[in-house]
Amino acid sequence: MSTTLALAHPRTLKVPDETFHRFSQATQRQVAACVARLTERFPEGRVDAIEVDLRELPLLTAEVDAVRHVIDDTAHFLVFDRVSGVDTLRGQAVLAWLLGTALGRPMVQNTDGWRLIEVYDRGVRRTIEDGARYHQTKQGAYMHNDAVNDVDPIDYLLLSCGQSAHVGGESILVDAGPVHDVLQGHPDVLAVLTQDFWFEKRGMSLTREDGFFRSPIIRYTADGEPLVRYFRTYIEVAHEKVGEPLTGEQHAALDLFDAVLDQSAVQYRVRLEQGQTLVSADDRFLHTRTAFCDRFPPREIDMAADRPEEVNRYMFRMWSTKA
């Protein structure tokens, strides 16, 4: 008798070939030259304060527009390969800023008005459950999309890799469409998920009075396509803070939703390497990361002074909306 274990879904989804894009040599030269000019002109200070004139980058904007449909209409995510000649951390941050601006209008991500955020483990002792922002920790998390703490949804989430983790740190990606197909077999759960839940404007509001808003987890476009807004920890904390704990029915619906999201049959896995950039359609796509081990103890990273080989897992995040 065979002792082989037969799995119903033995592996995660194959990443489609169309979701990987390497810029042409001419575009890489144009972008690398622009990054060099900007890093020389602005060696310090916030990268998201740099004004970008996209007329100086016609090849970049043309290539981005040529593959934008993959993010908008088909796979809903795309990985841009590294640009030759961009080899420093600040250079990669500037590249992310250029790419996010080519995609659309960069959006504010916190009360300080920052539009480009550094994502790395700062060694903070607080957990997400205690109020820490996800990008400041090395915690894993429930599957989520990004702009769940802002009333206005975004079109694009951009995550650009200044340095990968020593081990692990894969991005797990899930398209809302196939998940919704599964949920249609559980109409009672879908009915709960399309009702309003409380969300916390974590990092986006300075006052308790306006620090929360209500939104469904699943909503629809005018054409009936499912959109998603989800970060379970933020939802649970918000319900507790407003004095309306989740009901048993809501807990059960979230449990089934999480179970669907955890199935390998709906997941892609991508490990970003240094210089690569992942872009996803934020309200059509969920993501999380696997556990990872860094090279060094956590510390503050100085993108202007540190070299890539000297730092731990280090990413740059942008939110963009179509201009």
Side-chain angles (χ1 to χ4, degrees), residues 47-117:
V47 168
D48 52 13
I50 298 174
E51 292 189 12
V52 176
D53 186 351
L54 291 176
R55 292 173 299 181
E56 298 178 1
L57 296 162
L59 299 180
L60 173 66
T61 55
E63 281 203 49
V64 167
D65 286 341
V67 297
R68 186 188 297 266
H69 71 280
V70 176
I71 312 169
D72 290 344
D73 304 319
T74 58
H76 295 148
F77 76 99
L78 187 66
V79 175
F80 291 98
D81 201 11
R82 69 181 302 274
V83 171
S84 179
V86 179
D87 302 314
T88 66
L89 295 177
R90 188 166 180 85
Q92 189 65 33
V94 171
L95 171 59
W97 182 239
L98 297 179
L99 186 52
T101 304
L103 283 163
R105 178 167 54 90
M107 301 294 289
V108 169
Q109 299 184 50
N110 61 21
T111 53
D112 293 319
W114 294 356
R115 295 175 291 169
L116 184 141
I117 296 286

